[in-house]
Amino acid sequence: MHGTFRLPLMLLALFLTATVAWAAGEREVTIAQGIDAEFLDVQMTNNIVTLIINGAIYDTLLTRDKQLQIVPHLATSWKLVGDKVWEVKLRQGVKFHNGEPFDANAVKFSAERIQRADFKSPQKGWFGTLDRVEIVDPFTVRLHTKTPDPAMPARMTLMYQMAPKYVAQVGDAQANLKPVGTGPFKFVEWQKNERIVVEANDAHWTGKPAVRRATWRPIPELGARIAALQTGQADIIVNVPPDQMATLQSSKAIRIEKVPSCRIISFTIAQIKGGPLADKRVRQALNHAVDMQAIIDAVLMGNGKRLNSWMPPNVWGYDPSIPLYEYNPKKAKELLAAAGQTNLTLTLQAPNGRWAMDKDIAQAVAGQLTENGIKTTVKVIGEWGAYVRTILDHKTEDIAMSGWCLPSLEPDHWVTPNLKTGEPVSQYANAEVDKLIEQARAEMNADKRKQLYGQLLRVIHDEAPYIFGYQQMDIYGVNTRLKWTPRGDESIRLTEISF
């Protein structure tokens, strides 16, 4: 009798095992981006791709919802209790992946770690107004600022929380290799330049994620990234070339998603190096020598909006009344002649695969500069870590293709890191710009603050520390089995994916 039922029971067990495995596989996703993460210690990066990946592992104090409004996260409430004091109430019952409790000590530790002189975090500029963190009780902190800071709620959307005991126990290097956060996903593995794998944290305070396991794959080459989507090796790919949208959409298994991005692409001019590029007339000439709209139309098929300064239209503080640089080769030559630079030779550096059509756009810009009498060669630096290092070490070529977006959507996070004298990313120094940045970031009256940003952006337009480029249109290829729509802040949140 027992033998009679053994075979059917075995078959049933195998069927159930296969069904569970199939269901788990159906709830796994693979996302292909152009580059690998720089770090998995979230406080060691200001790179959005790295932040996107780390956002699955770590939580911030506040966040932005899908409508890009600031909402509670690890902090449940926040208010001003003095001109320079923000009081923040923390969510209770939250634990790090190693079981360590999240509390006020974690907030204080995380904030002070960024400011450590030996840690060299590129996020220091984000929180330059923060003076100290006061612990009121285990779930209340007060953020004391050096000056009044209207941007503190936006800054809190970038305050990723670290596990104090874990970091102290294993050290900074190991915390980067085996990250521990409070996020909705736990770290599994990192095979450098191959994949990063995370799995659902079912104990997360927001509930169980629909995605059970996710893999982030760096695929720099566009063709390989598209092939991964077409063959089912990737479920979401970024930076789809505009000329490939129709082909991809012809497949029933693939759809295209587009959204105007907070990402802006421009070409940083290394003013701090001195020499010809220190002359404003030369920098203005470079802007007049490039037909940026023609490049957007030809290379991106119109998927981009020209910039008039260093801020995208979807960030508060943008001033649409600032004019665009006109394409005027004659004026460019006149400016160069006035500056005594009639035989200028430059090198332009660009990545490969970081931004949509980056190498192609860089070559188009260099081609137009050369055509208009400014001999320019392109140096492609394919490895993203090496590219970033040239910026942080202030050792870029004469011109460096640059992209910027932060999910805080705070105007100070566009101007301070990139344009304030001495900031890690900044290749520019100007006392007038520094003064306006300080005034704008401390002005509590919204109308006055917006006027200051308008004034600042006009100075930046005139100073031309960039060849001003365009606001990026984020274009994604998506497997139709996923229910997901992109955000305007570039974040790809695994918790927003369902099936």
Side-chain angles (χ1 to χ4, degrees):
M1 190 71 161
H2 293 293
T4 304
F5 287 103
R6 185 174 296 142
L7 183 58
L9 287 171
M10 290 174 64
L11 290 173
L12 178 61
L14 286 170
F15 171 76
L16 290 173
T17 301
T19 302
V20 171
W22 175 82
E26 283 295 296
R27 293 166 67 190
E28 295 180 8
V29 299
T30 298
I31 300 169
Q33 302 189 101
I35 61 171
D36 198 7
E38 296 175 313
F39 301 94
L40 291 183
D41 179 337
V42 69
Q43 293 189 323
M44 277 301 295
T45 186
N46 58 12
N47 169 253
I48 189 68
V49 170
T50 304
L51 291 175
I52 288 169
I53 295 170
N54 277 286
I57 300 169
Y58 302 90
D59 285 324
T60 50
L61 291 183
L62 302 178
T63 191
R64 288 189 182 267
D65 61 17
K66 291 201 74 172
Q67 288 70 48
L68 304 182
Q69 299 302 305
I70 295 175
V71 294
H73 209 51
L74 286 180
T76 56
S77 67
W78 60 100
K79 64 180 180 179
L80 269 175
V81 294
D83 288 346
K84 297 185 285 184
V85 184
W86 289 86
E87 185 172 275
V88 182
K89 296 289 185 180
L90 305 177
R91 191 174 299 278
Q92 300 185 30
V94 177
K95 291 187 177 181
F96 289 93
H97 300 153
N98 65 340
E100 189 176 331
F102 165 75
D103 57 16
N105 288 317
V107 177
K108 183 176 175 66
F109 170 81
S110 299
E112 291 176 351
R113 185 171 184 253
I114 287 175
Q115 300 302 329
R116 264 174 39 200
D118 65 313
F119 189 55
K120 298 182 180 179
S121 170
Q123 297 180 7
K124 285 182 182 179
W126 299 355
F127 310 112
T129 62
L130 186 62
D131 182 42
R132 62 188 175 91
V133 177
E134 173 194 356
I135 296 177
V136 178
D137 62 47
F139 296 100
T140 307
V141 295
R142 286 184 173 176
L143 307 180
H144 294 258
T145 59
K146 299 169 186 174
T147 60
D149 187 5
M152 185 52 72
R155 297 188 201 285
M156 284 192 275
T157 68
L158 295 175
M159 287 186 178
Y160 296 89
Q161 297 303 294
M162 308 294 292
K165 292 179 182 177
Y166 175 72
V167 175
Q169 178 187 355
V170 304
D172 292 333
Q174 189 68 9
N176 174 55
L177 297 175
K178 293 185 177 180
V180 167
T182 64
F185 288 82
K186 297 179 180 180
F187 171 75
V188 175
E189 68 166 339
W190 183 13
Q191 296 291 329
K192 188 69 176 172
N193 294 320
E194 184 179 337
R195 66 180 179 272
I196 293 170
V197 182
V198 296
E199 63 184 7
N201 172 22
D202 287 345
H204 193 255
W205 55 272
T206 61
K208 296 181 179 181
V211 173
R212 308 312 299 156
R213 190 177 179 94
T215 301
W216 305 86
R217 291 184 58 201
I219 306 178
E221 289 297 331
L222 289 171
R225 204 155 62 235
I226 290 169
L229 180 66
Q230 292 172 322
T231 59
Q233 295 177 47
D235 299 295
I236 298 175
I237 66 170
V238 303
N239 296 341
V240 171
D243 63 358
Q244 295 295 313
M245 289 193 296
T247 300
L248 288 173
Q249 288 189 114
S250 67
S251 168
K252 292 182 179 179
I254 296 171
R255 72 178 187 273
I256 294 294
E257 296 279 0
K258 293 183 5 175
V259 66
S261 180
C262 63
R263 164 91 36 206
I264 54 179
I265 306 292
S266 288
F267 293 81
T268 302
I269 302 169
Q271 177 249 23
I272 58 172
K273 280 188 171 183
L277 299 179
D279 192 320
K280 178 174 70 174
R281 294 168 297 184
V282 173
R283 301 194 301 271
Q284 290 175 338
L286 296 180
N287 275 276
H288 286 299
V290 174
D291 189 346
M292 192 60 66
Q293 188 60 54
I295 293 173
I296 293 169
D297 292 340
V299 183
L300 296 175
M301 298 177 66
N303 284 280
K305 181 177 180 178
R306 283 192 65 193
L307 295 176
N308 58 11
S309 190
W310 182 247
M311 194 173 288
N314 53 356
V315 168
W316 184 89
Y318 171 79
D319 185 350
S321 70
I322 298 173
L324 298 168
Y325 270 90
E326 64 171 335
Y327 176 56
N328 190 334
K330 181 182 177 183
K331 189 170 185 178
K333 290 176 182 177
E334 290 172 352
L335 285 165
L336 289 172
Q341 299 294 334
T342 56
N343 192 28
L344 194 59
T345 299
L346 302 172
T347 300
L348 185 160
Q349 72 178 54
N352 181 22
R354 172 61 188 91
W355 306 299
M357 309 297 285
D358 45 17
K359 182 174 67 173
D360 304 84
I361 291 167
Q363 289 171 339
V365 168
Q368 289 195 0
L369 289 172
T370 300
E371 184 179 313
N372 289 314
I374 306 165
K375 186 178 179 181
T376 306
T377 57
V378 175
K379 178 182 178 180
V380 175
I381 303 174
E383 205 279 309
W384 180 246
Y387 194 89
V388 171
R389 183 49 53 194
T390 67
I391 296 169
L392 295 178
D393 291 345
H394 300 289
K395 293 180 180 179
T396 66
E397 300 296 337
D398 304 304
I399 305 171
M401 191 173 189
S402 303
W404 193 261
C405 172
L406 281 178
S408 67
L409 301 182
E410 159 57 38
D412 184 54
H413 284 156
W414 264 256
V415 293
T416 292
N418 294 283
L419 291 162
K420 194 168 186 291
T421 303
E423 285 292 319
V425 177
S426 176
Q427 313 297 314
Y428 180 71
N430 183 309
E432 180 186 5
V433 167
D434 291 347
K435 183 178 179 181
L436 284 168
I437 287 174
E438 293 292 348
Q439 289 177 332
R441 76 192 307 189
E443 179 54 65
M444 299 300 288
N445 180 286
D447 291 337
K448 291 180 180 178
R449 189 171 187 239
K450 197 166 189 177
Q451 289 175 3
L452 284 168
Y453 278 117
Q455 185 180 347
L456 172 60
L457 291 174
R458 284 184 179 277
V459 172
I460 293 168
H461 169 87
D462 182 63
E463 277 286 305
Y466 302 91
I467 299 175
F468 295 109
Y470 52 92
Q471 175 193 23
Q472 181 170 287
M473 177 71 75
D474 288 335
I475 307 175
Y476 301 86
V478 185
N479 189 302
T480 53
R481 76 186 181 93
L482 303 189
K483 295 178 181 178
W484 175 78
T485 54
R487 302 164 54 96
D489 60 3
E490 286 199 339
S491 295
I492 301 174
R493 301 193 181 182
L494 298 178
T495 52
E496 294 178 352
I497 298 174
S498 59
F499 302 91

